[in-house]
Amino acid sequence: MSSKRLKRLNVPREALERLTQHNIGSCRDVLSRSTLELLKLTGCGYLTVTDIIDQCCHSCIPPAVTALQLWRGRSESRSAFLPTTLPDLDTVLHGGLPVGTITEIAGPSGCGKTQFSIMLSVLSAMSEGSHSAVIYIDTEGAFSAERMVEVARSKFPTHFQNERDIVDLANRVYVDSIQSCSSLMKRLKSLEEDIITKKVKLIVVDSIASLVRKEFSTSIGRNLTDRTNFLSQEAAILKYVAEVFSIPIVVTNQITTRYGRPDAVADCDNDGSSSVTAEGDGGYVTAALGNTWSHSINTRLILQYLDADRRQVLVAKSPVAPFTSFTYTVQKQGIVQEDDGAGHYHGTDPSMQHIRVRSSLPIQASQV
């Protein structure tokens, strides 16, 4: 909440202009200065400066609410969820991806994470009377405008019959190509103003792991600490934005190989059933970024391979849904759930959940 822009506070115009000239644009910037510094920078009186400081302090403190207020707010909201159009997944999630939270989509390369994100972008842009916008932060260069148009036309053929409708949709999906962690952090801190002015109803970060894994090596102790701090800051900003503006945040995550002996892992069969197995010292594939990040997200959906055509989505973490799995395929209209293949599985710690990947080597099922 310290990243809240001063423009959203009741700061006198003259003081705001002078603070902006000195690159002081957020509550954090104000609170990091002493009262004497602010007096010199603004040229205002003591009472005016202390009032600005008080406003910034109150903006950084989450207001206390009751469970009744939260429950009524969610139940009265018309858009408490973003439907995924996967029927069984929407059912177990009580309507779709919940607003005000962070949903992670993790899985191996080519499993459909970006396809899922693009489809959700189209669905969000089509909601709210076709006036809402989407911010798509692309850190891997994977976003495809052509694919988005294909999904939109295939999923809503009656709506997108002319070029004008496609142009309108594409004009409301704002794609930011980010190439460094510092640029990503700067963009996240500037989201508030865009959300308000552009009526943003969905933010996608594809992917949350790409830049972090490039710039921070876990083999160096100091880098590991810096990486954890960076991820914690990212999560704090995204949670604040999601909750304050009541929008869903979708992030994609990569996979990593771990070595050791997890307590129990679930190996999901093709029919959705599973058996819990304990492994030895061999490696296993799971979601990247570790245990700390897994606690920062609210919902984790894991995508994994079943065979050459079919894939599976696992609800690995959710405050409302049990451990469930669904079979899907990637088609012209995006991610499409198959009629069969839904079921429950015995889940484990989301940070240790096994993920099945493609391999040309003959590996036993219990090893993936």
Side-chain angles (χ1 to χ4, degrees):
M1 292 187 177
S2 62
S3 61
K4 188 171 185 176
R5 309 303 295 177
L6 295 179
K7 294 179 181 179
R8 299 182 59 202
L9 304 181
N10 189 26
V11 178
R13 182 176 179 180
E14 183 179 353
L16 180 61
E17 290 177 352
R18 292 188 177 183
L19 290 171
T20 303
Q21 289 175 359
H22 292 86
N23 294 322
I24 300 177
S26 67
C27 293
R28 176 181 298 171
D29 297 333
V30 170
L31 297 177
S32 64
R33 265 72 172 183
S34 67
T35 304
L36 181 59
E37 285 181 291
L38 294 174
L39 285 169
K40 293 179 179 179
L41 293 174
T42 61
C44 298
Y46 178 78
L47 293 179
T48 301
V49 170
T50 53
D51 178 65
I52 295 174
I53 294 174
D54 288 341
Q55 289 189 58
C56 292
C57 290
H58 284 93
S59 297
C60 294
I61 303 174
V65 296
T66 65
L68 178 62
Q69 289 175 300
L70 292 173
W71 177 66
R72 283 181 174 174
R74 291 291 176 88
S75 61
E76 292 173 1
S77 175
R78 293 183 178 180
S79 56
F81 299 92
L82 172 63
T84 66
T85 66
L86 277 66
D88 291 333
L89 180 60
D90 287 340
T91 298
V92 299
L93 293 178
H94 294 195
L97 306 185
V99 303
T101 66
I102 302 176
T103 298
E104 180 197 79
I105 303 174
S109 176
C111 211
K113 302 187 297 295
T114 298
Q115 303 288 335
F116 207 156
S117 300
I118 290 175
M119 185 181 76
L120 291 173
S121 299
V122 172
L123 294 173
S124 179
M126 289 293 294
S127 63
E128 302 288 334
S130 297
H131 296 297
S132 59
V134 176
I135 292 179
Y136 196 109
I137 300 176
D138 183 14
T139 66
E140 296 184 329
F143 180 84
S144 171
E146 292 78 10
R147 176 58 175 151
M148 184 192 71
V149 171
E150 181 183 39
V151 170
R153 283 177 168 165
S154 301
K155 205 165 190 66
F156 304 99
T158 58
H159 184 84
F160 295 104
Q161 293 182 346
N162 56 67
E163 194 71 17
R164 184 178 61 182
D165 294 328
I166 287 293
V167 170
D168 177 64
L169 170 70
N171 205 34
R172 287 183 284 108
V173 178
Y174 299 89
V175 181
D176 293 317
S177 296
I178 304 296
Q179 302 298 325
S180 67
C181 287
S182 59
S183 298
L184 176 59
M185 184 61 67
K186 183 178 180 180
R187 183 65 185 100
L188 294 181
K189 291 179 179 179
S190 65
L191 285 174
E192 287 188 63
E193 188 173 349
D194 285 340
I195 292 173
I196 296 172
T197 58
K198 298 175 181 177
K199 299 181 180 179
V200 173
K201 294 300 179 182
L202 172 68
I203 295 175
V204 178
V205 182
D206 182 22
S207 77
I208 201 72
S210 176
L211 299 178
V212 174
R213 300 179 82 182
K214 290 178 183 176
E215 297 190 21
F216 297 99
S217 172
T218 57
S219 61
I220 304 175
R222 179 59 184 172
N223 275 359
L224 182 58
T225 302
D226 291 341
R227 189 181 88 157
T228 301
N229 292 336
F230 180 82
L231 288 172
S232 298
Q233 290 182 51
E234 277 189 312
I237 294 174
L238 291 174
K239 282 189 172 184
Y240 163 73
V241 168
E243 184 175 349
V244 169
F245 296 101
S246 191
I247 61 175
I249 305 288
V250 175
V251 301
T252 65
N253 193 3
Q254 300 173 348
I255 58 173
T256 188
T257 302
R258 287 192 180 184
Y259 296 92
R261 181 184 176 88
D263 294 334
V265 294
D267 180 53
C268 296
D269 298 325
N270 292 2
D271 60 359
S273 62
S274 64
S275 59
V276 178
T277 60
E279 298 194 84
D281 295 329
Y284 63 98
V285 175
T286 189
L289 300 184
N291 194 45
T292 301
W293 171 255
S294 70
H295 286 291
S296 300
I297 57 176
N298 303 99
T299 304
R300 169 170 282 175
L301 304 179
I302 292 179
L303 309 185
Q304 65 178 9
Y305 288 97
L306 286 182
D307 50 42
D309 299 318
R310 297 185 306 151
R311 294 150 198 184
Q312 192 175 52
V313 54
L314 309 177
V315 181
K317 179 184 179 182
S318 170
V320 297
F323 293 114
T324 45
S325 61
F326 311 98
T327 304
Y328 70 93
T329 56
V330 179
Q331 301 181 17
K332 282 187 176 181
Q333 59 268 44
I335 304 295
V336 179
Q337 181 186 327
E338 293 193 337
D339 294 333
D340 56 351
H344 295 272
Y345 71 96
H346 298 289
T348 183
D349 183 338
S351 64
M352 297 192 299
Q353 176 63 56
H354 278 209
I355 300 177
R356 182 182 282 115
V357 299
R358 277 193 302 194
S359 176
S360 58
L361 299 177
I363 301 178
Q364 296 179 0
S366 61
Q367 292 181 315
V368 293

